[in-house]
Amino acid sequence: EVYPTTVIYEKYHTNKPAMLTLGVVIVFAFTCLVFFVYDRFVQMRQEKVLDTAQRSNAIVASLFPAEVRKRLMYGKDRKDKSKSKKSSILMNTRPAEGPKFRLNNFLNESNVAGGEATSNATPATQADVDKRGMVDAPIADLFPNTTVLFADIAGFTAWASVREPTQVFTLLETVYSAFDSIAKRRRVFKVETIGDCYVAVTGLPEARDDHAVLMAKFARECLTKMSEVTGKLEVTLGPETGELAMRFGLHSGPVTAGVLRGEKSRFQLFGDTVNTAARMESNGIKNKIHCSTETAEELIRLGKEKWIEKREDMIEAKGKGKLQTYWILSREQSRKASGDSLHGGSSHGSISGASMGDEDLENVVHSPESLQIIQHIRRVEADAKNERLARWITDLLVVSLKEMMAARPESGPSAKDKEAVVALENTISSFSITPLDEIPAFVPLPKFEEDVVARSIDDIKLDPRVEEQVFKYVMAIGSLYRDNPFHNFEHCSHVAMSVRKLLSRIVSPENPIHDGKQIDLRLSVDDNTYGITSDKMAQFAVIFGALIHDVDHRGIPNFVLGKEDPNMATKYKGKAIAEQRSVDLAWSILMSHEYKQLRECIYTTREELHRFRQLVVNTVLATDIFDPDLGKNRKDRWNRAFGEDKASAEEAITLDDVSRKSTIVVEHLIQASDVAHTMQHWQVYVKWNERLFQEMYAAYKEGRTEKDPSEGWFKGELWFFDNYVLPLTKKLEQCQVFGVSSDEYYNYAKQNRHEWETRGHQMVEDFKKRFEQRQKKKEQELALFKYSE
């Protein structure tokens, strides 16, 4: 219609304007998209920067008091202004730095305010000071009225020596996070933690007249919180965690406080007050708050004289000489000092194991009524402790059980497999032979099925009934342990903990290479650990064996047990009597109907049941280290696998050879765990050595053994170190699967032997003295009961 003729239309008609318009629209849309994407990225970056700044601000807030933070920022601002005068170009091209950004610089970089002042090792010259001016002046003040607290975990070093690094940090983070919360609420300033030592101060940066009272309240609350936290952690961190306790030391006086700048700037306290507070802590007693005369005078001045109690003996403080010090009483003890009687009220609430130490409990035994209360407290605490230990062992077994289930095919057992399992269970229960007769030359490794893809234990949904049955079984086994000083449920838990540590230390190579190519990790690991890393049943069995290995132990050696119970000696042919009985008792309980679902998770086929039985029997009987025939058989197997009779490099390594080595490694693992206290921290060794002595000495005093163990205890321990413990650590090293643990155990054993050789004679006398004191205490308690009747 626009063009008059077709010729003109064909000559002048074009789509170019439309195409240009479309191109402009596309370019515009693309530009808008780029702009919005860029804006989003900028926004995300700003959010990230802001989040980092907020985190940095929180870190700085935890490191420095508010006044110190202000001075740090003021000094940085002045330095920035000084630099801006010298470099206007830099100022014009660099965006303004906010407070949070500057704090981040201060913490993460060697910033101008702190880094230049302390970056050189040599002291600053007067010219440097003049050049920098007051901008770089140290940030420090004198605070004349403060109270400094040092808190230390008593028994921490020994406790940490038997645990994995992650467990150590779990304890410290949990305990000190709880203390931090209390400090924040009570406005106590936490200075730092040094190892397991917690340092705090009151009276700065804001001066307070009641600084001593505030710190005393803080220490009291932390003391209670420590007992609560360790009780809960014992379920996850294992035995003896609940026995850890705090030791507090307080001193009041002036301190110099400020920021010690450098690569890692920190807020620090200096002065004699800090040193004296540390002396108060080191000379204190666990579960007690120890304070100096100066702190006690501050408390008295503020009307808190009922809070303190004069320490009977004077302490010898390094660099101070003899000092008179005081105890700050707990809330319950303070109320008692204020007039509450020991038996006030119907609930006897003033006697509490949580608030009174063992010595306090012993001191109030002056009537049949108070004795009954104290014995009730002991029973309640013992039952609670055993339940915590049982739950911890339950967790070990459940995790290991899930790992074992995850390595099986998902299809599950057939009906035929189930019938075969039941038939073998009945056969084992009706065995006329003893567990000793079942010991194999070695336990064959399971068949490696390449088509079975191992699942994660997170994918394993364990029936709640199974977990309940595991706990019930552990509690049933725990109830069969007698109240011996050494062979008791706590010791079995200690052995289980050592087993877990050694299992976790089994060496596995990283990035295995063969002929220049990376190979399958699982196969390589199995080659280096004799199949143990993938043999989840062996791992479960050795933990299970640690649980049951001393069930119903009567506190006497096997040769004495045979004399006391001739029928038992006849049944077990006079060999490994206690160990074989432990296997039979534990197995009979496991075979009861109430543990049916648990058994179905442990083994699903006849072959698995047979192998599990072999592993359990071999593990438990390996703990009898004094039977000469068993010892000779183990020595022969060792020589064939690792010693003089082992196959040469030219000979082909068979599956039986690997199975034999695997069996020997498991044997030595349980043997090392059974005497692990000899290869751990000195305090751990002394604790269990004394308990074993008490057990043997009690048997002698009761007329069950003929020889006084104290006469040869010193030389006997040296012999045991030289002929069993140290050679055992060397064998652990020769197995080449336990990594650094073999060196760690050897070093501890060597140190303990040296320490025992130096101090052993006196320690035996101390063991005897404490035994007599305990016996006397028991006789007094028995006399009180007879008197009340």
Side-chain angles (χ1 to χ4, degrees), residues 112-171:
V112 178
E116 289 184 2
T118 57
S119 60
N120 297 323
T122 56
T125 63
Q126 185 62 42
D128 293 332
V129 175
D130 294 339
K131 182 178 178 181
R132 289 196 297 263
M134 293 303 295
V135 174
D136 267 345
I139 303 172
D141 281 305
L142 175 66
F143 297 88
N145 299 303
T146 66
T147 296
V148 178
L149 171 142
F150 273 71
D152 180 76
I153 302 178
F156 173 80
T157 304
W159 178 90
S161 71
V162 300
R163 279 162 175 83
E164 289 296 297
T166 53
Q167 294 178 303
V168 174
F169 274 78
T170 296
L171 173 78

Side-chain angles (χ1 to χ4, degrees), residues 179 182-183 186 188 198 214-222:
F179 287 7
I182 298 172
R186 291 196 174 275
V188 172
Y198 189 93
L214 181 61
M215 187 60 84
K217 289 180 178 179
F218 172 72
R220 281 171 149 188
E221 190 169 351
C222 288

Side-chain angles (χ1 to χ4, degrees), residues 150-152 172 176 191-199 266 268:
F150 273 71
D152 180 76
L172 293 177
Y176 289 153
V191 179
E192 62 182 341
T193 56
I194 308 172
D196 64 315
C197 185
Y198 189 93
V199 185
R266 296 286 293 179
Q268 298 283 342

